Amino acid sequence: MLNDIQEVLYDENQIQQKVSELGETISREFEGRNPLVICVLKGAFIFMADLVKKITIPLEIDFMAVSSYGQSTKTSGVVKIIKDLDVPVQGRDIIIVEDIIDSGLTLSYLIDVLERRNAKSVTLVTLFDKPTGRKVELEADHKGFILPDAFVVGYGLDYAEKYRNLPLIGILKPEVYEK
Ligand code: PRP
Ligand code: MN
Ligand code: MG
């Protein structure tokens, strides 16, 4: 698996350090607010699990599965809800946890859904941000690392469902998806 990686961008230690910092920031910001923390499946599952362990205030969690990439390295632009939330968001302070923002289409769609359901507030947390990929204007409230314009995998991010279990983030060798 690692031999399909062209370059490691951030290793396990660097990621864990950043996740801890984000956890501290969120703990301060949401003190006394009992936020509903939403994990955007599948990509965000590892970040979500690591992040909530670093948040020291009471919170609730839920999961939503959406997909726009399918088997491709390019977004289809059509976001599908594959699994919806189990709890109502009306009047709640929502924290959306994402692994990466690229075109911004997934999150702008989700924010829209949550606002139409009358969430009290929606805060975006992403571990990785690829600002050069944006197709819609969208900025995370808290972000970990800015990534270059390359196809990356690991720490939850997949190519055709593989590589999510790498503990690091790296650039996938083009020959892996060009063949
Ligand atoms: C990936 C990633 C983000 C989204 C970011 O999910 O996990 O959710 O794309 O891209 P965008 O900003 O261009 O919308 P994907 O659709 O591949 O589903 P997955 O999380 O199940 O891998
Ligand atoms: Mn995703
Ligand atoms: Mg994906």
Side-chain angles (χ1 to χ4, degrees):
M1 208 170 32
L2 249 189
N3 44 3
D4 292 341
I5 301 300
Q6 179 172 53
E7 186 193 343
V8 173
L9 296 174
Y10 297 102
D11 67 18
E12 190 167 3
N13 283 331
Q14 290 170 303
I15 291 175
Q16 293 307 327
Q17 174 60 40
K18 187 67 81 178
V19 172
S20 296
E21 289 168 22
L22 288 167
E24 284 167 30
T25 304
I26 291 165
S27 303
R28 279 194 301 271
E29 185 174 329
F30 286 88
E31 178 95 63
R33 293 166 69 185
N34 187 33
L36 178 65
V37 185
I38 297 176
C39 172
V40 186
L41 294 171
K42 301 177 189 172
F45 80 109
I46 294 183
F47 178 40
M48 175 78 169
D50 286 346
L51 180 66
V52 294
K53 287 181 281 180
K54 300 295 178 184
I55 301 178
T56 52
I57 55 158
L59 54 78
E60 295 170 27
I61 68 172
D62 203 353
F63 299 88
M64 199 161 178
V66 296
S67 189
S68 68
Y69 282 69
Q71 298 286 305
S72 165
T73 59
K74 292 233 162 63
T75 177
S76 65
V78 181
V79 185
K80 274 195 312 196
I81 296 184
I82 293 158
K83 182 222 169 284
D84 207 336
L85 298 170
D86 293 334
V87 299
V89 301
Q90 176 152 18
R92 301 292 308 262
D93 288 310
I94 306 296
I95 302 173
I96 303 182
V97 175
E98 255 292 24
D99 49 338
I100 187 166
I101 306 178
D102 187 353
S103 71
L105 290 167
T106 303
L107 274 186
S108 61
Y109 174 80
L110 265 187
I111 291 167
D112 210 59
V113 168
L114 296 174
E115 285 179 346
R116 272 189 276 126
R117 293 180 189 176
N118 295 315
K120 183 175 172 193
S121 68
V122 179
T123 299
L124 295 184
V125 182
T126 189
L127 185 56
F128 304 111
D129 190 11
K130 210 194 269 181
T132 50
R134 282 299 190 288
K135 291 188 180 148
V136 289
E137 207 176 306
L138 185 102
E139 177 98 45
D141 299 286
H142 302 290
K143 48 188 166 253
F145 302 102
I146 309 293
L147 298 186
D149 188 19
F151 195 77
V152 292
V153 294
Y155 201 75
L157 284 80
D158 72 306
Y159 167 62
E161 297 300 329
K162 300 285 196 306
Y163 307 102
R164 295 195 198 272
N165 55 324
L166 283 172
L168 49 81
I169 183 128
I171 298 175
L172 190 61
K173 286 181 182 166
E175 65 240 43
V176 175
Y177 52 83
E178 276 166 3
K179 63 184 175 212

